[in-house]
Amino acid sequence: MFKIGFFQFEPKFGEVATNLAKVLSTLQHVEADVIVLPELAFTGYYFQDRSELMSMAEDPETSATIDGLTRLCRDRDFFLVTGFAERCADKLFNSALLIGPGGVLRNYRKLHLFNTEKDYFDPGDTPLETTDVRGAKIGMMVCFDWAFPEVARILSLQGADIVCHPSNLVLDWCQKAMVTRCLENAVFAVTANRIGADVRPHGELKFTGQSQVTAPKGEIVHRAAPDAEELYIAEIDLSLARNKLLTPKNNAFQDRRPEFYAALSQANK
Ligand code: ACM
């Protein structure tokens, strides 16, 4: 069995060292293969503008936050998927990083920016690919990517067993939608949301918690509370994500008719 879960908590806006200390202390005795943290888990979410984000975003190559997380992975012998405010020269990405005992294994930059994120982040430019972790194929997407079913589909077509999904959800549609994303792709998903609010001079955003582990037949393995911190680890059977049969005669992948789907790959007008 593969041990995967999430840590749902309330990052404090702009307090990167405090948020890192919280994650390091909470996870220091955990046994798992992979733990998923929320989107933008160390900076908080609701930036005023691009210059504020620029002042907090880090280059993964030189990031003290990533060094701390890598040490944790080495000490505990597990892997983390975390949301991360990434600076790359003059670009700023809302990223998900897969980190293991040897450092960052993959960086996925959010393709579908939500609402005011468009004012300060650059749209992602990394491909949808999977990474092997202890016999599991891990795919990553970030929060609002849930609303574009192509993302979970492509990760699943690349062989993903588990879609790791750092999130900062403010609406309550996603958890329901993930039931369908998992069912139509016969894949597991771990949606790690945050709780609490970012109260800022330009307004307040409240986050909806209810982090969720969803199984390939659309079962909700576990859903956290909307407002309580929780560390949750599930034991999952990866073989369930490798059986793509929806009925004895219907295979979710082999029954597709891509010759009728050309509109999906046309550029936006
Ligand atoms: C979101 O994409 N953070 C809603």
Side-chain angles (χ1 to χ4, degrees):
M1 298 289 265
F2 195 85
K3 291 176 87 169
I4 187 161
F6 57 75
F7 177 38
Q8 167 173 299
F9 71 108
E10 178 172 7
K12 303 285 178 233
F13 188 87
E15 298 183 30
V16 175
T18 307
N19 297 326
L20 177 62
K22 168 101 189 167
V23 168
L24 295 180
S25 66
T26 308
L27 302 188
Q28 67 181 328
H29 299 302
V30 178
E31 306 248 325
D33 294 301
V34 177
I35 301 165
V36 188
L37 303 175
E39 180 180 10
L40 300 171
F42 300 99
T43 53
Y45 179 84
Y46 198 22
F47 296 95
Q48 276 190 97
D49 53 31
R50 192 168 165 98
S51 67
E52 185 179 56
L53 170 59
M54 186 64 86
S55 73
M56 289 182 210
E58 293 179 80
D59 179 342
E61 301 272 327
T62 55
S63 160
T65 310
I66 303 224
D67 287 348
L69 295 173
T70 301
R71 270 196 301 279
L72 175 69
C73 289
R74 202 174 302 137
D75 291 347
R76 294 307 310 153
D77 192 27
F78 58 37
F79 294 74
L80 291 169
V81 172
T82 186
F84 188 76
E86 183 197 356
R87 182 167 45 75
C88 177
D90 60 347
K91 298 267 194 196
L92 293 165
F93 296 106
N94 185 343
S95 299
L97 303 179
L98 172 61
I99 304 172
V104 175
L105 280 88
R106 189 173 294 280
N107 178 354
Y108 163 72
R109 295 168 170 163
K110 186 176 187 178
L111 289 176
H112 303 97
L113 297 176
F114 178 73
N115 205 2
T116 54
E117 289 172 35
K118 293 187 175 191
D119 299 337
Y120 31 81
F121 281 109
D122 294 292
D125 58 0
T126 47
L128 294 164
E129 289 174 340
T130 62
T131 310
D132 291 312
V133 171
R134 297 192 174 146
K137 279 201 187 306
I138 302 292
M140 295 188 286
M141 64 183 199
V142 177
C143 203
F144 194 50
D145 283 330
W146 72 264
F148 298 83
E150 294 87 349
V151 177
R153 183 59 134 196
I154 289 169
L155 290 171
S156 302
L157 287 170
Q158 308 274 16
D161 298 305
I162 309 162
V163 174
C164 294
H165 183 204
S167 295
N168 275 188
L169 295 158
V170 293
L171 306 170
D172 64 0
W173 301 327
C174 170
Q175 289 85 348
K176 287 174 256 180
M178 290 312 290
V179 169
T180 306
R181 291 293 94 78
C182 290
L183 187 56
E184 66 202 359
N185 293 298
V187 71
F188 286 97
V190 179
T191 300
N193 196 16
R194 60 162 289 182
I195 54 170
D198 277 350
V199 182
R200 304 299 327 283
H202 59 295
E204 176 175 335
L205 264 190
K206 193 167 168 7
F207 302 93
T208 54
Q210 300 173 81
S211 296
Q212 180 168 296
V213 177
T214 318
K217 289 279 185 285
E219 305 96 334
I220 297 170
V221 177
H222 182 71
R223 183 183 283 176
D227 49 8
E229 185 175 304
E230 183 175 347
L231 168 67
Y232 173 78
I233 309 290
E235 295 203 12
I236 62 171
D237 177 358
L238 296 174
S239 71
L240 298 177
R242 293 173 184 171
N243 172 8
K244 300 300 181 190
L245 289 180
L246 298 172
T247 76
K249 289 185 186 289
N250 292 105
N251 183 297
F253 288 178
Q254 278 154 24
D255 284 9
R256 290 178 312 119
R257 302 292 306 277
E259 63 275 33
F260 288 94
Y261 305 160
L264 274 181
S265 55
Q266 277 161 16
N268 296 330
K269 294 206 177 93

